[in-house]
Amino acid sequence: MAGSEVPRQLFLQGVAAVFTFAFASLYMQIPGLYGAEGILPARRTLRPQGKGRWQQLWETPTLLWEAPQLGLDTSQGLELLSLLGALLALGALLMRRLRNLFVYLLLWAAYLSACQVGQVFLYFQWDSLLLETGFLAVLVAPLRQPPHHKQAPQGRLVGASPHEGIPFWLVRWLLFRLMFASGVVKLTSRCPAWWGLTALTYHYETQCLPTPASWFAHHLPVWLQKLSVVATFLIEIAVPPLFFAPVRRLRLAAFYSQVLLQVLIIITGNYNFFNLLTLVLTTALLDDGHLTAESGNSHCKKTPSSWPRALLSLLSLLLEFTVYGLLAYGTVHCFGLEVDWEQHAVHSRTTFTFHQFTQWLKMVTLPTMWLGVASLTWELLNALWRWTQVRGWLRKLCTAVQLFIFGTATVALFVISLVPYSYIEPSSHGHLWTGAHRLFGAVEHLQLANSYGLFRRMTGLGGRPEVVLEGSYDGQHWTEIEFMYKPGNVSRPPPVVVPHQPRLDWQMWFAALGPHSHSPWFTSLVLRLLQGKDPVIRLIQNDVARYPFHKQPPTYVRAQRYKYWFSHPGEQSQWWRRQWVEEFFPPVSLGDPTLDMLLRQFDLQDRSPPRALSSGNSLAQALRWIRKQLSPLEASTLLWGLLAAVGAIRVMQALLGPHSPNSSPLAKEKHKPAPKKDSGAASKQPAPAPDNCSSSSHTPRRKK
């Protein structure tokens, strides 16, 4: 196994990029979601309970408790946190020196603070995943980022601490839990679409926010859709154990399979920053040797290796072929793959039962935990061995302290993560060490480890349910209120909004799956539209002129439930077909007894007006000025602008050459004159093994 310096830097940059998108996207929606005139005002979530300051902070860990000390209300404090978080994350993305422990701790604390008041609009799995990943970044990031590292001739960075690779292992473990659980829950849910391999014949049409590519993917042949489901199960269930394979090429094969899946999802669906974050996690499967290999590396002259090394290479190759053969055989056997040469198709079906799958899951869940234990133990022993090579008693003592602290933290987080991971199989959950349950319960509210399981059941099998809001001045003539992103107008193509997440549009999708009483916030949305609140209107149409009631609020508002289907090929200028199903929310007006009853029932009435704050507060004035400048921008446009700006800056940094302060250490080393480096090191270090190429920076001890 080669070093992981470059993958760690890629991981830290990726986490910073995702935090930038998450904070910027949230900032643009705060007034409409959490402002005093928003759907769910944030100030209602933070009410002092008469407890001590530190106890209150521990039970509800959010920095927004301090907003009144700055002369801000809760929503303004949330705006300040989001702005500072976006700027700090952007700085960490662009400047290596900012990728340190303290910066990522601030980013994690800021996002955790936002989630504490985010209510239903921040209850998504990717928000939990970002919090867990962000905390791992705190452990992976060094205390400080030096401007450059020197490098030993065998590829190890001079001054690198033995503990640096240990927390990075947790990223691989998190990726395993995410992917394996996401595959397993699709089958444990007993969803007929997943078991019948027909899920993707509905998915592209019924997902929350399709892209234009979703329409084309939806019309692919059914046999190809079913084969794609088989490939999904293969990538999500069978491949993840290879993340811990001892053979490097197996881990790289697992890496590229995960990248392929995530890229296809990004193309065919608007899942905000979730798939980008998953791609960031896959960096834990890479190594320095793979990322820094030169094109001419394959042409370097290789001398004959010793017979033990040749035997090890042969055994590794045999293991690879065995694994690929087992994956191919298992896929054909479990899904009955048959090639139909006449119709040029591949037929597939599920050949195992639910009982057989649950028995298999019982058999493998605990072994996967022990696989994690074995892999982590290997990492710890590796770090301990590197510590024994440290010279100088003072440096040896310092590295021993670091190794103990980070090793203990890594083991503790691994033990904590076993509890939510075991949710996939109840009997395994009961067999866990009781200390793990106590430890998890003590820190559960910090979201250091979470359970995952995306697309558990396929919805909309009989047509995509969609809620359409309507307004009227007289109660007789109704006008539809069209959203910017979610399906509405059948002639409008699906938008591309990634990495932005329009959180109201997402919740409208969930609301359509049941009665309006299951989504209490919907009543508050209706109230704000009747009141004509501009922050909420901007969630629906950022260009207020396109909102049909921008001159005067509607007197009545109601909601209808429709079923939507993608149009058939050949239907001109139409992307959707739809059919009315039923009334979703009755017609109401301000003062209507039905509306007042629902507001009381869901505790949505404002019992007390917002506390008046000093109008002369310079910080509040600055926040209002920034909001005024950015409000005309559509959130997705702002995020794409950030992407373009980051890309332009990266290009400029690359053009500055290897002497840029932000260049990676291995890239700098690659540009140094080889003779000088080798001649300077030859007198002090033993010569490398004869079968190693100089551009391949692996130590013989770790090379596979």
Side-chain angles (χ1 to χ4, degrees), residues 503-560:
R503 295 181 180 268
L504 177 58
D505 295 67
W506 267 88
Q507 287 300 336
M508 289 290 289
W509 181 81
F510 283 105
L513 301 178
H516 72 83
S517 57
H518 290 178
S519 304
W521 59 268
F522 191 85
T523 302
S524 182
L525 170 64
V526 171
L527 173 66
R528 297 311 190 197
L529 294 180
L530 288 169
Q531 293 172 339
K533 298 301 183 182
D534 184 72
V536 176
I537 292 173
R538 288 186 177 274
L539 294 177
I540 297 173
Q541 285 291 344
N542 192 68
D543 182 3
V544 179
R546 300 185 61 182
Y547 180 68
F549 303 98
H550 64 278
K551 294 182 179 179
Q552 181 182 348
T555 307
Y556 301 92
V557 170
R558 70 180 185 185
Q560 308 286 345

Side-chain angles (χ1 to χ4, degrees), residues 607-654:
R607 292 196 178 94
S608 59
R611 184 172 56 180
L613 299 174
S614 173
S615 59
N617 188 315
S618 57
L619 183 55
Q621 289 179 348
L623 289 173
R624 284 193 289 269
W625 181 85
I626 295 173
R627 172 66 61 187
K628 184 178 180 181
Q629 303 306 310
L630 294 179
S631 59
L633 286 176
E634 191 178 328
S636 58
T637 303
L638 174 65
L639 266 65
W640 278 103
L642 283 175
L643 273 174
V646 169
I649 294 173
R650 281 297 185 194
V651 169
M652 292 300 296
Q653 289 176 342

Side-chain angles (χ1 to χ4, degrees), residues 117-174:
V117 301
Q119 304 166 81
V120 70
F121 294 108
L122 276 168
Y123 283 173
F124 295 99
Q125 288 195 50
W126 33 86
D127 295 312
S128 299
L129 181 63
L130 180 54
L131 283 173
E132 187 170 351
T133 306
F135 192 79
L136 295 186
V138 174
L139 299 180
V140 172
L143 287 174
R144 63 181 182 86
Q145 282 281 12
H148 64 277
H149 284 289
K150 294 181 179 179
Q151 192 176 10
Q154 290 181 335
R156 183 157 305 283
L157 295 174
V158 175
S161 299
H163 75 272
E164 287 184 351
I166 297 178
F168 196 46
W169 178 89
L170 287 171
V171 179
R172 190 185 307 183
W173 174 244
L174 172 57

Side-chain angles (χ1 to χ4, degrees), residues 307-326:
W307 71 265
R309 189 177 296 277
L311 179 61
L312 183 60
S313 298
L314 179 60
L315 292 177
S316 297
L317 191 61
L318 289 176
L319 179 60
E320 281 186 73
F321 283 119
T322 301
V323 169
Y324 296 142
L326 288 175

Side-chain angles (χ1 to χ4, degrees), residues 659-676:
H659 299 293
S660 169
N662 292 319
S663 300
S664 74
L666 295 179
K668 288 186 173 189
E669 183 62 31
K670 198 162 58 175
H671 285 82
K672 289 183 179 180
K676 292 183 180 180

